[in-house]
Amino acid sequence: MTESLMRSRRWDMLSLIPLVAIVALVALVGTLVWVLARADAERAQTTLATDALWVEQSLRFQMAVDEDMLVRLALDAASGAAAGTLQARARVHVASNPEVLSVQWFDREGGGVASVPAGVAPVGQALVETLLRGAGSTARPVYGPVTGGVVPMALRQSGADGGVVVAAISLPLMLERHVPWWIAEQYAVRISDPSQTLAERSRRPLAEAAPAHSISFDPPLAGTHLTITAYDSPPAFGNSALLIAIVGLATFSILALLVVQRNAAHRRRAEARLSAEMAFRRSMEESLTVGLRAKDHAGRILYVNAAFAKLVGLPAEALIGHAPPMPYWAPDRIEETLDRQRQLAEGALVPQSFETRFRRADGTEIDVQVYEAPLMDPAGRHQGWMGSIIDITEAKAAARLARAQDESMARTGRLVTLGEMASTLAHELNQPLGAIASYAAGGMNLIEAGQQGSPQVRLAFEKLSAQARRAGLIIRRIQDFVKKREPRLVALDLGEVAADAIELMAAEARELRARLVLDLPAEGVAPVMADRILIEQVMVNLIRNGLEAMAQGPRAGDRLEVRLRSEGGMVRLDVADQGPGIAEEIVTQLYDPFTSTKSQGMGMGLKICRSIMEMLKGSLSHQPNPGGGTIFTVRLPVVQDLPEEPVAGAAEGERA
């Protein structure tokens, strides 16, 4: 343990060496790059200042040339040169130096004498007046304020008439002509005073941080500066081959050291990650209750988890690599399962689900739900199928038990209803039985009187037979109503079923002094698919509830109406009583088990009715009767396509 710990620490120390080397190399390269960048920046600034001085000297030289021209004109005038000669010399200078817009002569009173070119407006009038107010002449030209990029340059003449000669200099033209193209390609040149730009030569917008250099341009122009600005910021790093080579080598060295560092730690990280992933996967597989099974295209098992092995009662080692048929397939399902495997292999690559039966190693059989999904490798190729298997044996047993309980509950409800109808049925049967006894006694009397062949004997026995059939029909209907059997769905006319239910409840209605009314539409209603006995049970239960509610009072009348109507794709049956209605406190629990408005009620009738309607894909609801009482509404879907033959049990349903 100690040796392992020491080895781990030694390995950690060794793994730090590349990191230290990387940090040192990065610091060295960063320092070198900073030094070179600083040197490049200083060199660029020096170049900028040198170029600015060159431009300044060029402009000053040109303005000195123009000043000399003005001085020569003044000297020639003082020497007595003719005015035509002076103007000719001025025209030559203007033609050679376009930045000189004009040359003008003014007399001692400030009036214009001549101009080159002729006819131009006077320039620098204020400067002329200032010079004329002075005591004597000037040795060098004097500059006036710049207006619209034009600066006047004036010189007072000595001798002659003591007038003033003025030259108008265009600063933009001077920049355009005397700033060379190679300067203009790199810099924007600007002459400005503290408040404005007087003249500028620029071919494109300037960058925000572009370097600039300013030089005082006073003299010749008072309070002005000459500024040149580079169009682009200097690069952050120099472009020298040495810098590129150093950065390249440093980058390569850093990458090499990083690779060494990563390789040094890769194995340890990979082992730790693999160990953690394996432990997590093992824990996850052991905690799953769903069986997982992977198989290839031939159906050979590639992988099973512990839950699947436990499900079929076989070890994973015995299953992996096994080809169909599998040892856990139920013997009676082998052909069916093989056929399903072929369909799975030949069909589309979509998830599928089905139910089947497995036989465990101990011989017991279980019902399972299987979900099959395509098994894809990392490259997206289909390698087989991944199955998730769930044991649904208990769920199916619970479903069967629930169905049996529902059927038992429905039968119990019919028996309860029959028990509650017993006295009424006894009264109903007393009538045909009493009539049978009377007709039998009358017939015997006629026979004893020797009138065996008389028509009265025949009539008595015919009536006796009719009453016997009536009693038998009543007993048969009661037997069909209460006997236990599977639901039999058949296309039914709810009008006929409603009439039978009303006839069955007629005696009880008379006992409770109520009138049963059947309201059928003239055109009839479409047939529905239902079990005759079950739907009749629902009607009888709803009619009984209505009659008993009206008997308890208070009631708005003695009429209980059964109405049939078509409603879209449904047939609607309303049972409307005129009883006291349903109390607000039990409306929400009305269909819950053991909820009843009757003191002796079990509270199961409406629950059974709703269960029957849901089984028949119908519905049961209720609402208050506007005239007082309650309306219970049954809705059943209309049969879209009537079957050519009745479903199983239809004949028995028709006889019921």
Side-chain angles (χ1 to χ4, degrees):
M1 181 67 182
T2 304
E3 183 180 354
S4 175
L5 182 59
M6 292 180 62
R7 188 185 302 112
S8 176
R9 288 180 178 177
R10 191 182 306 114
W11 184 260
D12 290 341
M13 293 286 292
L14 291 174
S15 65
L16 288 176
I17 294 176
L19 289 177
V20 174
I22 290 172
V23 171
L25 184 58
V26 168
L28 179 62
V29 171
T31 302
L32 181 60
V33 168
W34 179 82
V35 170
L36 291 176
R38 184 176 178 85
D40 282 347
E42 291 177 354
R43 186 166 52 254
Q45 192 65 35
T46 301
T47 302
L48 182 64
T50 302
D51 291 340
L53 288 172
W54 196 95
V55 172
E56 180 212 12
Q57 294 301 320
S58 296
L59 296 180
R60 285 183 184 277
F61 175 78
Q62 182 59 37
M63 296 192 77
V65 170
D66 295 333
E67 290 177 5
D68 290 344
M69 178 270 301
L70 209 61
V71 170
R72 285 196 301 272
L73 288 177
L75 291 174
D76 290 345
S79 300
T85 302
L86 298 176
Q87 293 176 14
R89 292 176 180 173
R91 277 193 290 272
V92 170
H93 187 82
V94 169
S96 301
N97 301 275
E99 72 274 5
V100 180
L101 300 179
S102 65
V103 179
Q104 300 177 351
W105 286 267
F106 295 87
D107 58 20
R108 188 183 298 273
E109 285 75 26
V113 177
S115 67
V116 175
V120 297
V123 176
Q125 193 72 39
L127 179 61
V128 171
E129 293 175 357
T130 300
L131 292 177
L132 290 176
R133 284 196 297 269
S137 62
T138 56
R140 297 297 297 176
V142 178
Y143 290 87
V146 180
T147 303
V150 177
V151 57
M153 181 174 62
L155 179 67
R156 185 172 182 180
Q157 304 175 93
S158 61
D161 61 354
V164 178
V165 58
V166 178
I169 309 298
S170 171
L171 295 180
L173 283 177
M174 186 170 63
L175 295 180
E176 186 70 29
R177 283 181 51 77
H178 298 287
V179 174
W181 65 268
W182 54 271
I183 292 288
E185 286 296 317
Q186 299 179 62
Y187 309 106
V189 181
R190 182 174 70 252
I191 299 175
S192 61
D193 61 19
S195 62
Q196 63 180 334
T197 297
L198 303 177
E200 181 178 18
R201 182 179 180 182
S202 175
R203 63 181 180 84
R204 60 187 174 94
L206 300 174
E208 267 187 44
H213 186 78
S214 293
I215 301 175
S216 175
F217 207 54
D218 180 8
L221 302 181
T224 63
H225 285 80
L226 173 67
T227 304
I228 68 170
T229 306
Y231 288 116
D232 300 308
S233 299
F237 303 104
N239 297 320
S240 63
L242 176 61
L243 178 61
I244 294 174
I246 291 174
V247 171
L249 290 173
T251 302
F252 176 78
S253 300
I254 291 172
L255 291 176
L257 290 173
L258 286 174
V259 169
V260 172
Q261 168 66 18
R262 291 186 62 184
N263 288 339
H266 177 72
R267 179 176 299 176
R268 183 176 53 191
R269 290 198 305 268
E271 289 177 353
R273 186 169 60 251
L274 180 61
S275 177
E277 289 180 357
M278 292 298 293
F280 175 74
R281 179 176 177 179
R282 190 178 303 109
S283 174
M284 183 178 63
E285 290 179 356
E286 294 299 327
S287 64
L288 278 178
T289 59
V290 177
L292 299 179
R293 177 214 59 210
K295 60 183 180 181
D296 60 15
H297 294 294
R300 185 179 294 102
I301 293 179
L302 304 175
Y303 162 81
V304 294
N305 68 343
F308 184 85
K310 182 179 179 181
L311 184 71
V312 299
L314 294 169
E317 296 77 11
L319 294 171
I320 295 177
H322 204 293
M326 299 301 170
Y328 53 81
W329 287 358
D332 58 340
R333 301 286 183 96
I334 291 179
E335 291 301 325
E336 174 189 340
T337 307
L338 287 173
D339 183 61
R340 186 182 294 114
Q341 297 294 328
R342 285 191 293 270
Q343 293 176 5
L344 194 66
E346 298 169 0
L349 298 181
V350 294
Q352 300 183 29
S353 173
F354 56 88
E355 290 184 13
T356 187
R357 183 176 291 274
F358 283 175
R359 170 173 285 186
R360 293 169 51 85
D362 59 5
T364 60
E365 293 191 354
I366 57 174
D367 294 308
V368 294
Q369 180 79 36
V370 181
Y371 299 92
E372 295 281 10
L375 179 63
M376 315 299 288
D377 66 7
R381 295 186 296 268
H382 181 220
Q383 298 295 332
W385 295 88
M386 188 70 192
S388 302
I389 296 90
I390 302 174
D391 185 355
I392 60 172
T393 305
E394 294 183 1
K396 295 191 74 170
R400 288 192 294 269
L401 179 60
R403 285 196 299 270
Q405 289 175 342
D406 287 342
E407 294 171 7
S408 177
M409 188 181 296
R411 182 168 176 268
T412 302
R414 293 197 294 272
L415 290 173
V416 170
T417 302
L418 179 61
E420 293 173 346
M421 295 167 55
S423 60
T424 303
L425 291 173
H427 177 73
E428 187 77 10
L429 287 172
N430 277 337
Q431 293 182 2
L433 291 176
I436 288 172
S438 298
Y439 289 132
M444 290 298 297
N445 290 335
L446 289 173
I447 291 173
E448 290 176 357
Q451 299 182 13
Q452 295 91 335
S454 66
Q456 290 81 359
V457 174
R458 183 180 181 85
L459 180 60
F461 279 99
E462 287 178 353
K463 291 183 177 181
L464 184 149
S465 176
Q467 292 299 323
R469 284 196 303 272
R470 179 184 173 192
L473 180 60
I474 292 172
I475 293 171
R476 258 180 68 189
R477 287 176 57 199
I478 297 303
Q479 288 176 337
D480 286 340
F481 187 72
V482 301
K483 70 182 179 181
K484 179 180 179 181
R485 60 180 181 79
E486 292 291 328
R488 300 181 181 91
L489 301 182
V490 66
L492 295 177
D493 182 351
L494 283 188
E496 295 180 3
V497 181
D500 288 346
I502 287 176
E503 183 178 351
L504 193 61
M505 297 301 298
E508 188 166 347
R510 287 193 296 271
E511 288 288 331
L512 298 175
R513 293 173 302 182
R515 293 186 300 117
L516 295 177
V517 178
L518 179 60
D519 181 6
L520 298 176
E523 67 277 7
V525 293
V528 298
M529 188 67 72
D531 181 284
R532 184 183 184 93
I533 297 301
L534 292 180
I535 197 64
E536 187 175 357
Q537 178 181 354
V538 173
M539 292 184 187
V540 167
N541 204 327
L542 295 178
I543 293 172
R544 271 194 93 256
N545 286 349
L547 292 174
E548 291 178 351
M550 292 169 63
Q552 291 175 3
R555 64 184 184 179
D558 62 350
R559 177 187 175 96
L560 188 145
E561 185 175 4
V562 179
R563 295 189 296 267
L564 270 175
R565 294 290 185 270
S566 295
E567 190 179 77
M570 310 287 284
V571 174
R572 170 175 173 166
L573 181 139
D574 293 332
V575 178
D577 64 61
Q578 293 183 316
I582 299 172
E584 289 292 334
E585 57 269 17
I586 68 168
V587 168
T588 57
Q589 296 92 25
L590 191 61
Y591 300 98
D592 293 344
F594 312 114
T595 299
S596 177
T597 60
K598 297 178 284 187
S599 58
Q600 303 297 325
M602 293 176 58
M604 296 299 294
L606 289 177
K607 166 64 177 173
I608 293 171
C609 290
R610 172 165 279 189
S611 298
I612 291 173
M613 295 311 301
E614 290 174 352
M615 182 185 69
L616 298 177
K617 294 182 172 50
S619 64
L620 173 62
S621 60
H622 72 280
Q623 64 273 351
N625 192 347
T630 306
I631 301 176
F632 281 88
T633 300
V634 169
R635 289 181 176 86
L636 281 169
V638 171
V639 178
Q640 300 297 330
D641 298 312
L642 287 176
E644 296 181 2
E645 297 181 1
V647 297
E652 291 85 350
E654 292 171 355
R655 288 196 299 270

